[in-house]
Amino acid sequence: MTQAVLSLAPRIVVGVDGSSSAKRALAWGHFMARTTGSVLEAVTAWQNPSSWTGVSDDWDPVAEARAMLTACCAEVLGDDQPPDLRLTVLEGPATAALLSASAGARMLVLGSRGHGGFAGLLLGSVSAACAEHAACPTLIIHGDDLPPGASPASLPEVHGVHHPGDAGRREAPSAGQPIHKPAEEGAR
C-alpha cells in the first residue's frame, strides 16, 4: 500500500550531474519538496561515449552514475535525507532524460550551469532546453544563496557553494515593520 501512495505523491525532480550548480539545485529542490510536501527525486543521465577509445571493458556507466548521484545526495543532504528520496539514473541525453523524468512532476529544479558548456554563458544548454520544453514549472538556480534552513556545513565551500555571511544577508522585516531599501549609488 505504501508503494502505491508513494507513486502518486507529487514530486520535485532535480537534475544532478555532480557540479556545484547541481548541488545548489539539489539543496533548493530539497527545500521545495519539504515546503510542498512532495517527494524529492534526484535524476542523473548518462550516455555511451562517442568514442570508446580508453574506455575499459568493465566500465559500468549505470553504477558510476548511481555512485555519483548517491555521493552528491549524501554530501548535500547529509543526515537530512528524506526517507522517500528517489535516485533515478537514466540513459540518454540529459535534456531528454530530465524532460521525461519531470513529466507529471510538481516542479523541475536545475542548476544554471552544469559540467561542460562554455564559461560566460548565463544558462547551460540543458537548463535552457528544459526551461523551454518542460511540462511542469521549472526553477533554475543562479547564484550561491542557500535555501532557508540549509546549513553551510551541508555544502562545503570547497565545492564552490557557500552561505552568504551575515553582513551581506538581508533579513525579512517583522510584521508591521517598514521595508528599508539601501540607497542606490548616484540616487539623490
Side-chain angles (χ1 to χ4, degrees), residues 115-161:
H115 283 305
F118 299 95
L121 288 178
L122 295 177
L123 194 62
S125 59
V126 171
S127 299
C130 286
E132 184 175 349
H133 298 289
C136 64
T138 304
L139 176 61
I140 308 294
I141 304 300
H142 289 274
D144 292 338
D145 286 347
L146 296 178
S151 135
S154 68
L155 293 168
E157 189 170 6
V158 73
H159 293 287
V161 180

Side-chain angles (χ1 to χ4, degrees), residues 80-97:
D80 199 22
Q81 283 192 28
D84 55 355
L85 172 66
R86 296 182 190 172
L87 302 180
T88 303
V89 177
L90 299 172
E91 180 180 5
T95 300

Side-chain angles (χ1 to χ4, degrees), residues 8 16 23 26 31-32 43 49-51 63 66 72-73 84 90 98 102 109 136 140 145 160-161 176 178 182 185:
L8 298 176
V16 179
K23 290 174 184 177
L26 184 57
F31 170 76
M32 296 302 293
V43 177
S50 57
S51 168
R66 182 164 299 282
C72 282
C73 288
D84 55 355
L90 299 172
L98 290 167
S102 66
V109 183
C136 64
I140 308 294
D145 286 347
V161 180
E185 251 184 73

Side-chain angles (χ1 to χ4, degrees), residues 168-179:
R169 294 175 67 185
R170 283 178 259 152
E171 298 291 329
S174 303
Q177 286 186 328
I179 298 174

